[in-house]
């Protein structure tokens, strides 16, 4: 179900599958929830997912993620249940695959923050 929502989100943002532009291409890339550990929760993309207007930056929230790290790309240590996280992906153009860019945590991580419940990106990501 999440793949359908992601595809619809990408479609409304101007993303065209490779097959729409080049008849010889048949694959459509997709984003899969990262497997961090049992502490990562199961809320990946359930409350927050946004794509930039240029279609090349995607942010996916996981408000149920439970690592206690702080800031950008922290180490996976400790727990803070429901602290939340945001995963950022980037691509160079609409035909390029999505590449993981960053794992974001709040600078003051604590239990039940639900970071990543609401997201926004600038037009160019």
């Amino acid at each position: 179900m999440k793949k359908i929502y992601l595809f619809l989100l990408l479609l409304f943002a101007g993303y065209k599958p490779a097959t729409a532009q080049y008849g010889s291409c048949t694959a459509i890339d997709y984003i899969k929830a990262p497997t961090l550990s049992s502490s990562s929760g199961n809320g990946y993309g359930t409350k927050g997912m946004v794509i930039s207007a240029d279609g090349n930056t995607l942010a996916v929230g996981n408000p149920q993620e439970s690592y206690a790290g702080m800031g950008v790309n922290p180490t996976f240590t400790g727990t803070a249940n429901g602290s939340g996280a945001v995963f950022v992906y980037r691509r160079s153009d609409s035909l390029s695959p999505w590449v993981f860019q960053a794992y974001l945590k709040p600078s003051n991580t604590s239990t039940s923050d639900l970071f990543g419940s609401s997201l926004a990106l600038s037009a160019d990501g």
Side-chain angles (χ1 to χ4, degrees), residues 1-11 28-33 44-45 49:
M1 188 63 106
K2 289 180 188 176
K3 289 180 187 176
I4 292 170
Y5 289 132
L6 178 58
F7 178 74
L8 291 174
L9 178 66
L10 294 173
L11 188 63
I28 298 174
D29 60 322
Y30 65 95
I31 302 297
K32 183 177 179 185
Y44 184 81
M49 184 182 307

Side-chain angles (χ1 to χ4, degrees), residues 38-96:
S38 59
S39 296
S40 62
N42 60 0
Y44 184 81
T46 59
K47 298 283 186 182
M49 184 182 307
V50 66
I51 192 167
S52 60
D54 68 4
N56 294 324
T57 303
L58 174 69
V60 181
N62 184 352
Q64 296 174 10
E65 195 266 358
S66 296
Y67 284 110
M70 295 183 221
V72 179
N73 298 325
T75 57
F76 304 120
T77 57
T79 38
N81 292 331
S83 59
V86 174
F87 300 85
V88 180
Y89 302 87
R90 188 97 177 113
R91 64 183 179 179
S92 56
D93 59 53
S94 64
L95 297 177
S96 299

Side-chain angles (χ1 to χ4, degrees), residues 9-31:
L9 178 66
L10 294 173
L11 188 63
F12 289 131
Y15 174 76
K16 291 185 174 51
T19 53
Q21 295 179 4
Y22 300 101
S24 62
C25 296
T26 57
I28 298 174
D29 60 322
Y30 65 95
I31 302 297

